Amino acid sequence: MAAPRALAVLGAALLLAAGAQASKYSREANEGLAAAGAKRREAGEFRVVRLNQIWEKAQRLHLSAVKLAELHSDLKIQEKDELSWKKLKAEGLDEDGEKEAKLRRNLNVIMTKYGMNGKKDSQLADTNYIKDGTESDTLDDPRLEKLWSKAKTSGKFSDEELDKLWREFKHHKEKIREYNILLETVSRTEDIHKNVINPSEENLVKEEILHNKHRELKDKLRSINQGFERLRKVSHQGYDTTSEFEEPRVIDLWDMAKSANFTEKELESFREELKHFEAKIEKHHHYQKQLEISHQKLKHVEGTGDKDHLNRNKEKYAMLEEKTKELGYKVKKHLQDLSSRISQGLQHNEL
């Protein structure tokens, strides 16, 4: 009897030691993440001066912690694209200026999206991951408002399904808004080119550049139309229990992938990748919620005067902020890669 008891005690001790060691490594990793963030802030958040200026300006705006983290992810993607473009330009691979023009459009979309383009009504509504917000938020589109109203009163959805459907409606609203921002940017660029006096300058604006701009708009419009049809179908019929995906961005990608020129094997591979992508998005959502909670708790603790408690909360907030930024960047980069592959597949269909 003594031997089994001794083994049990030894096993429990080993488990406790392993748990303590894992906790230590996790704590050290989190502390390292927060320290890396502080070091980066001292040296400048981004390697592109213009992006640092935008980030510094954003700090002075009344954006939520989650929205600031989202902006940071968008600017990191922009930074990656701008640094890649600089290498291409040095090698003489962007002679027509097409990629440079797209970078300018993308930056304008970011500036408009976060209310930094000088227009008072341009800023997106702050996302609050604690409150549902379905009563106060509007969809800014009579067709969407009508569908949502019918869905809420249809009795076909549980509370959880209504929350999920609301996220889809909000996602669709933002897609329309981003399309309109891009359309305005492209239209303004074309007007400038039309007003060029010197014909030799007009020749620099190649037909291919305009074609690529309109193709980007066309892809976005196709996604909007497919998304609306899906919302209309779900609002009237309820959710299909056999549906593979729940995240709106993943559903969009899957619907478009099925219309692209993929073989069965490629489509199956894409489906598996989308499952991993959805898991990544869910993890990002988790950290966004934790960041929002931590931010509210930090504001509460600041008023108590307890310095030790305040320092602990600041450390936790810094760690969550860095993790949310990191995951946000990974999600956006993955989305960019997946969208690019689908766009190429759709282009093959048009050939």
Side-chain angles (χ1 to χ4, degrees):
M1 291 292 289
R5 239 190 333 264
L7 285 173
V9 170
L10 178 61
L14 288 171
L15 282 172
L16 282 170
Q21 189 75 351
S23 176
K24 177 189 172 187
Y25 287 146
S26 177
R27 185 173 65 253
E28 287 176 353
N30 290 338
E31 288 171 355
L33 196 63
K39 186 176 179 181
R40 192 181 63 244
R41 281 190 289 274
E42 287 177 12
E45 199 73 23
F46 301 95
R47 288 182 284 171
V48 179
V49 174
R50 176 175 47 179
L51 301 185
N52 266 323
Q53 291 170 344
I54 292 171
W55 179 246
E56 287 166 10
K57 179 181 178 182
Q59 308 300 302
R60 299 190 291 271
L61 298 178
H62 298 293
L63 297 176
S64 70
V66 170
K67 190 58 69 179
L68 268 176
E70 279 293 289
L71 170 61
H72 190 276
S73 303
D74 281 333
L75 291 176
K76 287 297 286 183
I77 291 290
Q78 181 75 14
E79 178 185 54
K80 174 184 72 72
D81 292 343
E82 289 203 17
L83 293 175
S84 297
W85 168 75
K86 283 180 180 179
K87 287 182 182 178
L88 286 176
K89 188 181 179 185
E91 296 168 6
L93 297 177
D94 189 30
E95 292 181 3
D96 57 10
E98 175 195 340
K99 289 181 173 61
E100 184 180 10
K102 185 172 182 180
L103 282 172
R104 283 199 302 267
R105 291 200 304 276
N106 289 347
L107 187 59
N108 184 67
V109 168
I110 293 172
M111 296 287 283
T112 305
K113 182 178 175 183
Y114 295 95
M116 293 186 286
N117 65 339
K119 296 182 181 179
K120 291 183 180 179
D121 60 343
S122 63
Q123 187 175 319
L124 290 177
D126 257 352
T127 304
N128 188 324
Y129 288 88
I130 308 301
K131 299 173 186 175
D132 178 33
T134 55
E135 297 303 320
S136 58
D137 289 349
T138 59
L139 294 168
D140 299 335
D141 184 324
R143 294 188 308 167
L144 294 179
E145 295 283 5
K146 187 176 179 181
L147 280 180
W148 172 243
S149 179
K150 282 186 176 181
K152 279 199 300 184
T153 56
S154 67
K156 294 177 181 175
F157 301 94
S158 65
D159 289 344
E160 186 178 341
E161 286 175 332
L162 273 178
D163 287 343
K164 175 183 168 184
L165 183 60
W166 176 250
R167 288 199 305 273
E168 288 201 49
F169 271 96
K170 291 288 286 181
H171 172 64
H172 191 78
K173 172 188 171 181
E174 302 313 338
K175 281 202 302 183
I176 294 172
R177 198 168 186 285
E178 288 189 10
Y179 170 81
N180 288 331
I181 292 169
L182 183 60
L183 180 62
E184 181 186 348
T185 306
V186 170
S187 300
R188 191 163 58 246
T189 305
E190 288 183 341
D191 287 342
I192 291 169
H193 290 322
K194 285 176 184 176
N195 293 328
V196 171
I197 297 172
N198 190 338
S200 64
E201 291 184 38
E202 277 189 331
N203 293 333
L204 296 175
V205 187
K206 295 185 177 181
E207 190 67 32
E208 186 181 353
I209 297 178
L210 294 176
H211 175 70
N212 286 334
K213 288 179 184 177
H214 287 286
R215 186 168 60 204
E216 189 178 352
L217 283 168
K218 187 177 179 181
D219 287 346
K220 287 185 178 293
L221 188 59
R222 181 193 284 115
S223 174
I224 286 170
N225 289 334
Q226 287 184 343
F228 181 78
E229 281 304 307
R230 170 182 163 72
L231 285 174
R232 188 183 59 78
K233 182 179 177 182
V234 171
S235 298
H236 285 92
Q237 300 176 9
Y239 277 110
D240 181 358
T241 54
T242 61
S243 178
E244 292 189 77
F245 304 109
E246 294 188 4
E247 161 60 35
R249 282 172 289 184
V250 179
I251 292 168
D252 275 350
L253 289 170
W254 180 236
D255 285 344
M256 294 187 76
K258 288 185 288 187
S259 303
N261 190 28
F262 292 143
T263 63
E264 284 188 22
K265 187 176 180 180
E266 287 172 335
L267 197 59
E268 181 59 34
S269 173
F270 201 82
R271 177 196 276 119
E272 289 304 310
E273 190 168 351
L274 286 178
K275 288 178 182 177
H276 293 301
F277 181 50
E278 188 166 58
K280 193 180 291 183
I281 291 174
E282 287 170 359
K283 187 176 181 181
H284 183 221
H285 282 331
H286 167 76
Y287 274 95
Q288 284 179 315
K289 290 175 185 175
Q290 294 305 308
L291 179 63
E292 183 69 36
I293 292 169
S294 178
H295 185 249
Q296 291 186 7
K297 191 173 181 181
L298 183 59
K299 286 193 293 185
H300 171 71
V301 173
E302 282 174 343
T304 64
D306 186 337
K307 288 186 178 180
D308 289 340
H309 197 193
L310 179 60
N311 288 334
R312 285 196 301 272
N313 275 273
K314 279 184 175 179
E315 286 175 9
K316 183 177 181 181
Y317 177 79
M319 181 276 291
L320 287 169
E321 184 182 36
E322 287 304 312
K323 191 66 178 177
T324 305
K325 288 176 182 176
E326 177 191 312
L327 283 170
Y329 171 74
K330 288 179 179 178
V331 165
K332 288 177 187 292
K333 186 177 181 299
H334 201 169
L335 176 62
Q336 191 181 53
D337 294 341
L338 292 169
S339 300
S340 177
R341 282 164 56 188
I342 290 176
S343 182
Q344 290 170 10
L346 291 170
Q347 286 171 35
H348 284 305
N349 288 353
E350 294 172 0
L351 295 178

